[in-house]
Structures are given as C-alpha cells and as structure tokens.
Amino acid sequence: MSFNIGLSGIRAASSDLDITGNNIANAGTVGFKGSRAEFSDVYAASVLGSGSNAQGSGVLLGNVAQQFTQGNINFTENSLDLAINGNGFFVTSNDGALSYTRAGYFGTDRDGFISNNFGERLQGFGVNPVTGQINQGVQTDLRVDTRSADPRATSVVDSTLNLNSTNVRPAIWQQAYDTEIAAGGTPADALAAARDTFDPTNSATYNSSTSVNIFDSLGNAHTLTKYFVKTDGNQWDMFTMIDGRQVTNDPATNNALPTDAAFAPTPTELTFNSVGELTTPQPLGSIQNWVPLDSAGRETGAESPASFDIDLAGSTQFAASFAVTAVVQDGFTTGDLAGLEIDDAGLLVARYTNGQTRTQGQVVLANFANQQGLTPLGKTAWAQSSASGEPVVGAPGTGTQGSIQSGALEQSNVDLSEQLINLIISQRNYQANAKTIQTADAVTQTIINLR
C-alpha cells in the first residue's frame, strides 16, 4: 500500500511539474492562459462504502484548470493586432471549423481576408452592400476591400459667413450707377449697368469673396467662388463662378469667361434685416446647367449638365470683418485605401486618401457559460464542447462581451514569480513522495531479512 501511495504522489508531483513548466514555457505566448493542477485524495472503498477509520490510498490529478484571467495589454505598431479587454474570445474559421482564441495577432492574406498566423479567418458581421449597414447576426469571414472609394458629385454647398455691414458700394459700381441715372435711366437700368461692372479678375468690383472645392460625378475637383457686392444698406449681390467661368441657367451663356462676349453674370440677391439676419429663403436654389470642364475648357466626361444647391443659412451682416465660419460640401474625389482602424466596438473602418471612411465589417466575440469546459486545441485556441455550452456571439461591448483594443496584444497571464515558487513546491513534493517509497522499501527489506 505504501508503495502505491508514494507512487501516486510522485505521479502527481510530476504532473504538477509538467503543468508549471508549460506555464513557464508560454510566459511570452500572446493570449496564453495559465493552468493549475487540482488534486484529489483517494480512499479505498468496499461495496458497502469506506469505514470511518479508512486509510488513504494516495492522490490523483483531479483536473487541469486553465485560468481565464485578464493578461496585460501591450501596444504594437499594427492596427490589425487586437486585444480583448474583458470577457470573450475571437472566433476563427478553418474551412468552416470554428475555434476560439484570445491571441489577436491578425493580418490579411493574399485574398484580403483577415486571418491569424495559421491561416484561420477572423469571423465577424458583414456589411449590407446596398445600405452600408452592419448585417447584425450574419457571421462571415471578415475581408478588407482594397478597392478605391468611388467619387461622389457635390449636391449641396452649405456656407455660414458674415458680410461686413460697414462696407460701401464699390467705386466702379457706384460710378456706373450714377452715370446711368444722370443719363436719364431708371433705377432698374442703373442697377443693371452697375452689375455689368462685375469682373472676377478685378477685386475693385466686389467687396468680398470665398472659394471651396466641389466635385463632378467623376471625382474631378472644381473651384466654386462666391463674390459679394454690396448694393444697398441691407442688400447684397452674390455672383457665382466655377473655375473662373460664369454659371447661369441659360446654356447659351453658361461657362463663359470674363473675356467672352457672352459673359453676363446674373447675381443672386441677398437681403438682411435690421438685426443682421439673412431673410432670403434658403437654400438659394440649384445651379442647374453647370457643364464640368477641364483646365483647357473641354468637357470632363462627367454627368452633364450637373446641378447642386447653395445654402447660406445662418449667415449674418454685422459690423465685423468678412469671415467664413463654416463651409460644408458633400462631394469628394476617388480615394485609395490609406489605412484600417478597428474601434472598441469592433467596427472595421477603412480610411481613404480622399478623407472619407467606410465601415467594412464588425469583429464579433464569443463567450461561454463554462469556459473551463472548452477543449484546448493548441496554438492558443479552444474548441466548443458539451461541457462549455453553446457560444454566445455578439458585438464587442454588448451583453457580457468585453471591448476590443486595436493595435495591441494581450500577453500571457502567467506570473513567473508564482510559477518559480510552484517549481520549488513540486520538487519538494516529489522528493517527499520518493522518501515514502524509500522508507517503505526499508521496512519491507527488514521483514525479508527476518530468519
């Protein structure tokens, strides 16, 4: 009996050494979870059960329990390195066979799929190609779309600005107006004559101007410039030019240069009230007949004629310098993929060189009712088992799922100092159990030597 007890103790101590050694060996393994040996005592029992004075029969290894505690988060230079802060596992697929891991070193394969070092593809929710929204609940292989972002033509230009109320009419404007009145013209004739003096190449013919880039349907950039001419106390004319050419609703005079005979820009009238508020209804209306041209005056091939709205809502006329406080236009040129980001909710966001972003998917996490019931597969991965229960899959930060940290990796949760102490304890246990066998051998030898 003593030999068996000592032998069971040696086996248990040897298992403890193996488990401790494995923890130490994986102290630098990303996403590794340390294990501990859980032992149980053994008692011999008859059919009727063991008596109250039963002697122990040794020890057995009851369980090797992994410790799913949080590891330290170390930051890296790779945006596709992912760390989980809290509960959950990344879900990976190897030709449909799912496994679960905390090791978040991911990259893209030759087909653009996000995968780990072993070629297993990261799982997540895809994006509806029509709406651009996340398809919640539809799990798929996450893939990075490296195609260029399509351009979008400008459909509205919103500007908020202040026109200086202390400005006076340009001298050239006033001279033309006065000349027409002196010649017996009506105020309407005089106003038309004054407006004809506008020349975008001569800053003396207007009070203020501001420009913004707009885009045609092919993503070509064009410069929209608005010129403001004060005509009365609370009245202003706004002339609109694109790439230095006039924009009118008459195709015959559209796109004329200031040097062309057809150049006859038509202004939009702006009216402010006595407290400096713009009272002209907004938006001002659509630019209807714009034909996008290149620098040589040839059509770009974009959608033509193009149209967009101009909106000056919120603009003012105060006794302050001319200033543009906000400008927004919704068009953009084509853009190449410049980078990827994954936020703490797992959203995979692509950044493009045109300043736009696009959501390409969402990483999912899986959690289990009994993490100890997971089956270790190696490669820092686990598989579902009957003991673990079904995986609860969801977006990071929802339910019991943790959050994701991009550009970081979760380190092993092994405490080396603790493991080194365990080595000493295991060694002592091994030696003590060996001593039990040695003592039992000595006693047995004494009996054998009886004559």
Side-chain angles (χ1 to χ4, degrees):
M1 178 70 75
S2 298
F3 286 105
N4 289 333
I5 293 174
L7 185 60
S8 70
I10 285 178
R11 284 196 295 263
S14 179
S15 297
D16 199 11
L17 281 171
D18 290 342
I19 295 168
T20 303
N22 186 60
N23 288 341
I24 294 173
N26 286 282
T29 301
V30 169
F32 178 79
K33 298 302 178 184
S35 302
R36 73 179 182 191
E38 297 178 351
F39 299 106
S40 301
D41 55 359
V42 178
Y43 282 84
S46 66
V47 176
L48 298 178
S50 58
S52 59
N53 295 321
Q55 294 182 340
S57 298
V59 64
L60 59 82
L61 180 62
N63 186 32
V64 179
Q66 291 202 289
Q67 307 302 298
F68 289 96
T69 56
Q70 180 74 44
N72 292 329
I73 304 296
N74 283 358
F75 293 92
T76 68
E77 299 294 330
N78 181 10
S79 62
L80 289 182
D81 284 341
L82 303 177
I84 300 173
N85 190 2
N87 296 323
F89 298 83
F90 298 113
V91 184
T92 59
S93 173
N94 184 12
D95 293 330
L98 299 181
S99 58
Y100 306 90
T101 182
R102 298 276 295 196
Y105 31 54
F106 295 105
T108 54
D109 62 17
R110 65 181 184 181
D111 297 317
F113 290 101
I114 300 177
S115 58
N116 61 17
N117 294 346
F118 309 107
E120 298 169 342
R121 294 175 177 176
L122 181 64
Q123 300 296 286
F125 297 143
V127 174
N128 187 307
V130 177
T131 64
Q133 301 298 312
I134 296 294
N135 283 331
Q136 295 288 344
V138 182
Q139 194 169 309
T140 186
D141 299 337
L142 286 180
R143 187 176 189 178
V144 176
D145 186 354
T146 58
R147 293 176 300 176
S148 298
D150 295 338
R152 184 168 72 187
T154 298
S155 65
V156 63
V157 179
D158 291 334
S159 300
T160 304
L161 47 87
N162 179 69
L163 297 176
N164 192 344
S165 65
T166 64
N167 285 161
V168 297
R169 297 167 175 173
I172 297 176
W173 190 101
Q174 187 67 58
Q175 182 180 3
Y177 186 91
D178 292 343
T179 300
E180 184 66 26
I181 291 294
T186 66
D189 293 334
L191 181 60
R195 284 172 171 171
D196 285 341
T197 64
F198 170 72
D199 181 357
T201 64
N202 183 1
S203 60
T205 63
Y206 54 88
N207 298 96
S208 307
S209 66
T210 181
S211 298
V212 62
N213 280 342
I214 60 174
F215 299 90
D216 61 28
S217 62
L218 294 180
N220 298 303
H222 303 270
T223 302
L224 167 69
T225 305
K226 298 188 288 290
Y227 301 87
F228 300 94
V229 179
K230 189 167 187 180
T231 61
D232 208 343
N234 292 325
Q235 294 289 133
W236 294 75
D237 281 346
M238 182 183 76
F239 296 89
T240 304
M241 309 283 290
I242 298 180
D243 295 335
R245 297 173 180 271
Q246 71 180 5
V247 181
T248 70
N249 287 327
D250 182 2
T253 63
N254 203 25
N255 275 323
L257 291 169
T259 55
D260 295 338
F263 183 76
T266 303
T268 299
E269 297 183 9
L270 304 178
T271 302
F272 294 85
N273 62 20
S274 59
V275 293
E277 298 172 337
L278 180 63
T279 59
T280 304
Q282 303 296 315
L284 295 174
S286 296
I287 300 296
Q288 296 288 349
N289 292 299
W290 172 46
V291 178
L293 303 178
D294 62 17
S295 58
R298 299 183 296 262
E299 293 191 24
T300 64
E303 180 182 356
S304 176
S307 64
F308 58 89
D309 289 332
I310 294 180
D311 195 319
L312 298 180
S315 294
T316 56
Q317 181 196 230
F318 295 143
S321 299
F322 172 79
V324 179
T325 56
V327 58
V328 176
Q329 66 84 31
D330 60 352
F332 47 83
T333 186
T334 185
D336 295 325
L337 183 65
L340 295 170
E341 297 175 354
I342 299 179
D343 64 15
D344 55 3
L347 292 174
L348 174 63
V349 180
R351 292 183 291 103
Y352 296 90
T353 53
N354 60 0
Q356 301 301 306
T357 60
R358 181 191 299 166
T359 300
Q360 296 194 354
Q362 185 175 29
V363 179
V364 298
L365 297 180
N367 207 358
F368 295 87
N370 177 24
Q371 295 178 344
Q372 296 290 341
L374 293 170
T375 301
L377 300 177
K379 302 177 182 178
T380 326
W382 293 266
Q384 174 191 351
S385 71
S386 59
S388 68
E390 292 294 323
V392 178
V393 178
T398 61
T400 60
Q401 312 290 11
S403 60
I404 286 180
Q405 176 66 60
S406 177
L409 293 171
E410 181 189 8
Q411 301 302 301
S412 168
N413 66 350
V414 171
D415 185 339
L416 275 178
S417 59
E418 179 184 353
Q419 298 304 313
L420 292 174
I421 293 174
N422 287 344
L423 279 181
I424 298 173
I425 296 173
S426 299
Q427 181 184 15
R428 294 285 177 84
N429 289 341
Y430 195 101
Q431 292 173 333
N433 282 283
K435 194 67 175 179
T436 298
I437 295 176
Q438 183 182 12
T439 302
D441 177 62
V443 171
T444 304
Q445 189 65 39
T446 301
I447 296 174
I448 292 174
N449 290 337
L450 291 176
R451 296 172 185 259

